[in-house]
Amino acid sequence: MDHGQISVENKKSPPIKVLSSQLREGKDNRLNGKLEFNIKRLGQWKNTALVVSVVWMQGTILEVRSDHNTVLLLDETGTFVVNGVNNIPKGNPCLLQGNYVMVMGMIQALSPEPVLRAVKMADLSERAAIHRRMWKLEVEDLQQTLT
């Protein structure tokens, strides 16, 4: 066995930048108990699927649910839910309606709206206008470079 190669099972996937519409239209791809999803790429490679399980998303907080552990966010393509925000470092300070945030998380469901379990969350409100304008371009750029 070549110890220089890492098996696919042991390789952790980095978070993939996605839009909520991509998840909403995605397909469940469970293999060997591993929760993964096929989504359509943005841009010129849109006819090839991208397999994702951990994603990076950005959006505006529309609602902080009464448990203060779940938030409803809106990106330019729709809404998505993030659970477990109390379990992540620095997640709580940015839990204000209207804040523009970045979330990294594990996909829990695709429909009727995407649901993530938060791993990381950061407040991007200070430069929200720039982040909003650049987000779709960043998503498309990253998805074009992934093989």
Side-chain angles (χ1 to χ4, degrees):
M1 182 174 148
D2 181 6
H3 294 289
Q5 291 184 337
I6 299 172
S7 73
V8 173
E9 290 78 47
N10 293 332
K11 187 176 168 186
K12 287 189 178 185
S13 300
I16 306 298
K17 295 177 180 182
V18 300
L19 300 173
S20 64
S21 61
Q22 289 180 283
L23 293 183
R24 201 172 293 101
E25 296 163 5
K27 304 281 186 254
D28 195 324
N29 183 31
R30 293 174 206 245
L31 288 173
N32 302 322
K34 193 173 182 182
L35 196 58
E36 292 183 329
F37 302 90
N38 288 335
I39 64 168
K40 277 188 177 178
R41 293 175 194 256
L42 294 180
Q44 72 184 51
W45 301 110
K46 63 184 172 192
N47 293 328
T48 61
L50 189 58
V51 178
V52 297
S53 60
V54 181
V55 295
W56 172 338
M57 300 178 75
Q58 291 182 187
T60 303
I61 297 176
L62 294 180
E63 177 187 350
V64 179
R65 304 265 164 95
S66 60
D67 63 2
H68 291 279
N69 198 35
T70 304
V71 293
L72 176 67
L73 285 97
L74 174 70
D75 71 8
E76 64 186 77
T77 64
T79 59
F80 59 102
V81 173
V82 181
N83 294 320
V85 294
N86 285 333
N87 302 328
I88 55 171
K90 298 184 183 176
N92 235 354
C94 57
L95 294 182
L96 297 172
Q97 186 175 357
N99 276 8
Y100 189 77
V101 297
M102 156 294 225
V103 178
M104 281 193 265
M106 306 283 294
I107 302 169
Q108 293 183 312
L110 298 179
S111 64
E113 63 189 354
V115 178
L116 307 180
R117 182 176 46 84
V119 174
K120 182 178 180 176
M121 187 176 224
D123 188 359
L124 303 177
S125 299
E126 190 173 308
R127 305 186 113 209
I130 293 170
H131 290 296
R132 270 191 199 96
R133 276 197 304 268
M134 297 301 296
W135 182 239
K136 189 172 181 183
L137 298 171
E138 287 180 41
V139 172
E140 186 174 333
D141 185 58
L142 174 69
Q143 291 181 13
Q144 298 266 334
T145 60
L146 295 174
T147 55

